[in-house]
Amino acid sequence: MKKVNCIRIFFVLTVLFCIGCYQILHLKQAEQPQDMPDTEQIFAEEAVLESEEDVLPVSQPFGYKFVILEEGDYLTVYLADRRTVYEYTAIRYSDLDESLQQKIREGYCVKDEETLFGFLENYSS
């Protein structure tokens, strides 16, 4: 009789544990924003960042030293404070592709001078 009661208690506890785990997972999924990008889009964005290494999106406000912005159809390089001009460039904003224009419109963040000069060399004519 003791074995039967132990088995019943074990079964009830196992069912309660499974219900609790399900509710916790369900709550975590409900807390995530519904407009999360598809995994294909995430991989595409990672591929772009790998080709333009050490460039950080605007949503990461740390770890970068320069910000590239558009001013009068030309690119201007600012320090991370976005107020101090580091360098004016002769690169025309209108000559860039649409995706890069969007990134620059938001503020294209660059990690260090080496990466900055690589970017500038790549897009200067």
Side-chain angles (χ1 to χ4, degrees):
M1 193 63 138
K2 276 188 169 183
K3 277 187 174 184
V4 173
N5 286 338
C6 288
I7 292 173
R8 288 179 184 164
I9 290 173
F10 177 74
F11 179 74
V12 169
L13 290 176
T14 303
V15 169
L16 290 175
F17 178 75
C18 291
I19 292 171
C21 289
Y22 174 77
Q23 288 180 346
I24 289 172
L25 291 175
H26 184 68
L27 286 175
K28 284 186 178 182
Q29 288 177 350
E31 289 175 359
Q32 291 179 350
Q34 297 300 324
D35 58 337
M36 293 285 289
D38 295 341
T39 54
E40 292 176 5
Q41 183 179 1
I42 291 172
F43 290 132
E45 289 174 5
E46 287 177 0
V48 169
L49 287 177
E50 287 174 4
S51 65
E52 301 165 2
E53 51 185 69
D54 296 331
V55 178
L56 302 174
V58 175
S59 62
Q60 297 180 354
F62 56 89
Y64 65 87
K65 195 172 178 182
F66 304 102
V67 179
I68 302 173
L69 296 169
E70 172 225 355
E71 251 183 32
D73 200 39
Y74 288 95
L75 302 185
T76 304
V77 180
Y78 289 88
L79 294 180
D81 65 2
R82 292 180 180 238
R83 294 185 183 140
T84 309
V85 175
Y86 180 76
E87 183 177 347
Y88 293 102
T89 70
I91 302 171
R92 295 183 63 94
Y93 177 77
S94 58
D95 292 342
L96 303 174
D97 61 20
E98 186 69 31
S99 64
L100 187 57
Q101 285 181 355
Q102 178 63 30
K103 290 177 185 178
I104 290 173
R105 194 175 303 127
E106 295 171 359
Y108 198 67
C109 301
V110 182
K111 185 177 179 180
D112 55 23
E113 288 179 348
E114 182 180 338
T115 306
L116 172 66
F117 291 124
F119 173 85
L120 296 176
E121 285 179 23
N122 191 26
Y123 289 100
S124 63
S125 48

